[in-house]
Amino acid sequence: MSFRDNLQHLRATRNMTQEQLAMLLGVSRQSVTKWEAEKSYPEMDKLLKMCTLFECSLDDLVQGDLTARPMASSVAEGAVPDGPAADVCGYDEHMRDFAMKIPTGIAFIVLGLAWTVFAGEGLTGVFQEGAVIAVAGLFAGIFASLALFIPAGMEHASFVRAHPYIDDFYTAEQKARAGRHCARSIIAGIGIVFAAVVVIMATESQRYAHVGTAIAMALIAAAVWLIVYASMMYTRTNVDAYNSKTSEGLEFENAMTAAVDEERKKALLIARGIKTRRQRIRDNLCGVIMLIATIAGLAMLFAPIAQGVDPDDVNWAANLFWMAWVIGGLCCGIVALLVNAFVKEE
């Protein structure tokens, strides 16, 4: 008796679909399909999981005959019950947490900019270190956002690897409710942006214009948070898109680890948008250049203030701080040409 026959029968005894088995094993549905078509074979850890799931030995599963095992007569005996799908993987809780952290991190960056605008004008006239405190607020916002982005991204990647397939448990009403909430939130967010514009216009010619600008940026941070959060909460209900994306990723990983020729692997790299060695070198160098340009631009903008120069005085460095990014972009173009000319492709 073959492994395929055993697997198909064991699934039938538990009233289990290929999708449900894939979800429990942490593989794609296509992987289960290939196992049952004898086009590929599961790895040892997957075989051991199946032995635990179906309560059989490894020898019986791979080489024995389990087709005589009777069908499970009740849920207590391990059958998958009929009826609405359930969130057995904690997908909804994970996606809610992910949808909370990402927009919060974006809002922290905008709030850091708002503080820089407020403190750069408001504190500089009070004491010399005011500009330093202003810039420190910007970097604090960036660091706070990274403290959310990096763990959230790692947790999401780990969840996707562990659960490449999710049974769609959302009802039509839940999806419709999420869609309505998303639409209302986007409208509210646009309204908050308009309010921010009104604040800027109302305080533009006033003595404390920087306060109005800071308030407007804080309102924009709230609008961005609301729109991104609502969009991610709505997107989480599209389980089919999640399954499709993770399935494509798993199929690509399986193909890249298989014994295929280099031309085929290179074609897969291009098809999936995976960067080659030359592209990685070029992108890394350009990233470093733009980081240096950002530091130089901020230094040109705030260094004169930190040195006690009157903000109202004309200062060429502060007025031309934006040129740092222009020069950085030109340097990136030159670096790209040099890398393409002298770095060999993989």
Side-chain angles (χ1 to χ4, degrees), residues 51-283:
C51 291
T52 302
L53 178 64
F54 296 120
E55 299 178 348
C56 63
S57 67
L58 182 60
D59 288 340
D60 288 340
L61 178 63
V62 177
Q63 299 178 338
D65 183 2
L66 298 175
T67 57
R69 177 177 290 193
M71 302 290 288
S73 58
S74 66
V75 175
E77 295 178 21
V80 176
D82 294 327
D87 183 13
V88 299
C89 299
Y91 170 84
D92 187 73
E93 180 181 0
H94 166 74
M95 294 303 289
R96 285 179 180 274
D97 182 66
F98 189 59
M100 179 67 70
K101 290 179 179 178
I102 297 303
T104 302
I106 298 173
F108 276 146
I109 295 176
V110 182
L111 288 174
L113 290 171
W115 169 259
T116 302
V117 171
F118 170 75
E121 293 288 338
L123 299 182
T124 302
V126 179
F127 51 92
Q128 187 174 357
E129 292 77 12
V132 177
I133 297 176
V135 177
L138 172 61
F139 284 105
I142 295 174
F143 290 146
S145 66
L146 292 176
L148 288 174
F149 287 154
I150 295 175
M154 295 175 65
E155 290 171 3
H156 185 65
S158 177
F159 183 88
V160 169
R161 285 194 299 270
H163 308 287
Y165 176 83
I166 300 294
D167 209 0
D168 191 354
F169 57 90
Y170 291 108
T171 65
E173 174 57 29
Q174 288 175 322
K175 295 179 180 180
R177 191 185 308 121
R180 292 192 296 268
H181 180 265
C182 180
R184 289 194 296 265
S185 298
I186 291 176
I187 294 172
I190 294 174
I192 295 174
V193 172
F194 282 140
V197 174
V198 171
V199 170
I200 292 176
M201 295 177 63
T203 60
E204 182 179 11
S205 59
Q206 304 297 321
R207 178 180 178 184
Y208 299 104
H210 63 284
V211 177
T213 303
I215 294 174
M217 295 186 69
L219 290 173
I220 291 175
V224 169
W225 187 93
L226 187 63
I227 292 173
V228 175
Y229 175 76
S231 300
M232 293 183 68
M233 288 293 287
Y234 174 65
T235 303
R236 92 188 194 283
T237 62
N238 190 354
V239 179
D240 289 338
Y242 171 90
N243 291 335
S244 177
K245 184 177 179 179
T246 55
S247 175
E248 289 178 0
L250 284 173
E251 290 299 307
F252 172 72
E253 290 180 6
N254 292 338
M256 290 304 295
T257 55
V260 297
D261 58 87
E262 292 300 323
E263 290 299 322
R264 174 60 176 162
K265 288 186 178 182
K266 187 174 182 179
L268 286 170
L269 286 170
I270 296 174
R272 293 297 182 186
I274 306 300
K275 295 178 181 179
T276 62
R277 176 173 173 269
R278 177 187 291 172
Q279 291 172 323
R280 291 195 300 271
I281 293 175
R282 183 175 63 230
D283 292 349

Side-chain angles (χ1 to χ4, degrees), residues 10-48:
L10 291 172
R11 277 201 307 104
T13 62
R14 302 300 178 95
N15 191 26
M16 185 183 295
T17 64
Q18 288 184 342
E19 289 84 357
Q20 291 167 337
L21 178 60
M23 179 175 60
L24 294 173
L25 297 178
V27 298
S28 66
R29 181 191 60 79
Q30 289 84 350
S31 295
V32 178
T33 301
K34 289 181 178 180
W35 297 345
E36 296 189 353
E38 295 187 329
K39 292 183 179 179
S40 65
Y41 201 74
E43 297 176 353
M44 180 58 67
D45 62 324
K46 308 304 179 188
L47 289 172
L48 294 176

